[in-house]
Amino acid sequence: MAVTITETAAGHIRKCLSDRGKGEGLRVKVKPSGCSGFSYVLDFADEVASGDHVFEQHDVKVIIDAEALDVLDGSEVDYVTQGLNSFFRFNNPNVKDECGCGESFNV
């Protein structure tokens, strides 16, 4: 089981944690949502809970709870800029289908 982080995503996470003045890393969860099944939930983690899985690359941690690990296994977390918008993008090999707006996905 693994989740990878691109250098660009790591740089953005480091900057956000620095701006906050605290934090262990980026917490990623999935929740039932939308028309396709799941959506990603992102937050900054101030601590690592028991049962969390921590993936570290480029001196940054991505923290995933046990419930989301099967859905996110093999994913790459990237940070992209398209026009005026910047956002985290998940390259998740488990996704079978996405809704038209791109907000939810099915595995």
Side-chain angles (χ1 to χ4, degrees), residues 3-6 8-14 16-17 20 22-29 40-48 52-57 59-65 72 76-79 87-90:
V3 173
T4 59
I5 311 158
T6 66
T8 305
H12 185 70
I13 294 167
R14 273 193 302 275
C16 289
L17 291 173
R20 288 180 81 232
K22 64 179 180 176
E24 286 289 322
L26 179 70
R27 180 174 298 282
V28 181
K29 297 181 180 184
Y40 299 105
V41 179
L42 305 176
D43 198 1
F44 290 100
D46 292 330
E47 60 186 38
V48 176
D52 283 344
H53 296 270
V54 179
F55 300 94
E56 187 169 354
Q57 280 185 294
D59 298 320
V60 168
K61 295 176 187 172
V62 171
I63 302 160
I64 299 173
D65 65 18
L72 296 172
E76 175 190 66
V77 181
D78 195 7
Y79 190 76
F87 53 93
F88 286 103
R89 173 178 287 156
F90 291 83

